[in-house]
Amino acid sequence: MIKLAGIPVSFHPLFVIVMLTSVFTGHFAELIVLFGIVFVHELGHAAAARMLGVTVLSIELLPFGGVAVMEENGYLTAKKEIAIALAGPLQNIILAGMALLLHLFEWWDGPSLTYFIESNLLIVLFNLLPILPLDGGRICQSLCSLFIPYHSTLLWSSRISVFFSGLLTVYSLHPLVLGQGIQLNLLMVGIFLLYSNLVDHGHIPFRFIRFLIGRQRTFSKQLQAAKKAQPIVADEAKPLDAILRLLKREKYHFVYVMNVKGELMGIVPEQRIIASYLSGHPEL
């Protein structure tokens, strides 16, 4: 592990195996260039996150690219998350544009130029797939959180990721139908993403708990934003977890508690319900 500007940079074991394999297959130079491009891509995420006040915990280089791990402190809005996600592909577009500019001045030409530009464009297109933890998956999740409750956001973004990573895996096998060899690299990436998202789907309850804890930290900030307040009407016998699953990421909620006769029993701010739930009380 190394550090760059205070950010730990680690290498996934499969990444190391792929690099060592490339030495024996004669593609080491191409792979070095490719992962250099990926590294710049991740630095774009890290720089954007720091500019927006988000702590970058680490950067990990994976067999299919890289992931910038950021602190989930409750202050990251959907708009900020989308901006951070787009900052990575933007670096690749800039790199491809600079390469074309060098070509116009006749300072760079040949197969290496074509490889460099195509690699950048492929990384952009691949990362915009709606699969977590790719940029497209993060953008999809952030957009969902603007319209539906956060628990539903976690569920649907996970389901979409599983579906498209499965589709990617199946697509990598389609040359077999044509009597050709399978796309081994794409198959490995597809299986890796599919497995990761299936495992992550089982972690949704823990991610939702982290979300609730983050809401507690930002309560005072949310309470001051009256324009973001949104009511939730709930029966007094309704379980707390069912109410909490209605919370939206960027809305503050007051819960209007009703009895069986439809009479208002009280108005409860969301932080009291979160505190009760986290302390082990299942009902209002």
Side-chain angles (χ1 to χ4, degrees):
M1 181 183 291
I2 60 174
K3 279 196 174 184
L4 184 65
I7 303 173
V9 180
S10 61
F11 302 89
H12 192 278
L14 285 178
F15 170 84
V16 177
I17 293 173
V18 169
M19 293 300 291
L20 290 174
T21 303
S22 68
V23 174
F24 300 102
T25 57
H27 296 288
F28 185 71
E30 290 92 336
L31 210 57
I32 284 292
V33 171
L34 181 61
F35 279 100
I37 292 170
V38 169
F39 190 59
V40 172
H41 176 106
E42 296 306 321
L43 287 180
H45 290 312
R50 283 192 164 183
M51 287 175 61
L52 294 171
V54 179
T55 302
V56 182
L57 301 177
S58 66
I59 294 176
E60 184 178 15
L61 292 180
L62 304 168
F64 62 84
V67 172
V69 181
M70 299 169 202
E71 185 178 24
E72 296 184 28
N73 55 12
Y75 294 98
L76 185 61
T77 64
K79 290 182 180 178
K80 285 184 178 181
E81 191 165 21
I82 291 171
I84 293 170
L86 289 174
L90 178 61
Q91 305 311 305
N92 298 118
I93 293 172
I94 292 172
L95 288 175
M98 291 173 62
L100 284 173
L101 193 61
L102 291 174
H103 176 67
L104 288 175
F105 284 100
E106 299 183 350
W107 292 344
W108 193 2
D109 206 346
S112 61
L113 172 68
T114 303
Y115 176 78
F116 186 81
I117 293 174
E118 287 181 349
S119 295
N120 275 285
L121 295 179
L122 283 173
I123 287 172
V124 169
L125 293 174
F126 176 75
N127 271 278
L128 290 179
L129 291 173
I131 304 172
L132 290 168
L134 304 180
D135 302 330
R138 295 184 183 277
I139 293 170
C140 178
Q141 182 171 274
S142 297
L143 289 174
C144 285
S145 72
L146 293 174
F147 303 102
I148 61 177
Y150 194 68
H151 188 269
S152 298
T153 294
L154 293 177
L155 282 175
W156 280 104
S157 58
S158 178
R159 290 167 181 169
I160 291 170
S161 295
V162 168
F163 174 77
F164 278 97
S165 54
L167 204 61
L168 184 66
T169 304
V170 172
Y171 175 76
S172 68
L173 295 171
H174 89 278
L176 289 176
V177 180
L178 305 175
Q180 302 172 359
I182 63 172
Q183 301 180 51
L184 186 57
N185 290 339
L186 195 59
L187 177 62
M188 290 176 61
V189 169
I191 292 174
F192 184 89
L193 290 172
L194 180 59
Y195 173 77
S196 298
N197 279 288
L198 286 172
V199 171
D200 187 65
H201 186 77
H203 293 163
I204 286 177
F206 305 104
R207 293 177 61 193
F208 187 62
I209 291 294
R210 279 209 309 266
F211 164 72
L212 295 178
I213 294 172
R215 300 279 287 198
Q216 289 286 74
R217 293 175 184 170
T218 58
F219 158 64
S220 58
K221 179 181 177 182
Q222 292 168 347
L223 188 58
Q224 293 168 3
K227 64 180 181 179
K228 293 187 176 183
Q230 188 176 77
I232 293 176
V233 180
D235 184 271
E236 60 180 336
K238 193 168 188 176
L240 291 186
D241 62 340
I243 296 174
L244 294 175
R245 289 180 183 184
L246 298 176
L247 298 183
K248 288 189 175 180
R249 179 179 184 174
E250 297 186 25
K251 297 289 184 181
Y252 182 81
H253 299 279
F254 288 99
V255 180
Y256 289 70
V257 184
M258 313 294 288
N259 63 17
V260 291
K261 296 180 181 179
E263 298 171 336
L264 180 64
M265 301 295 292
I267 302 174
V268 185
E270 67 170 55
Q271 85 278 5
R272 280 183 55 188
I273 296 178
I274 294 173
S276 294
Y277 178 74
L278 294 178
S279 63
H281 300 290
E283 296 183 355
L284 285 168

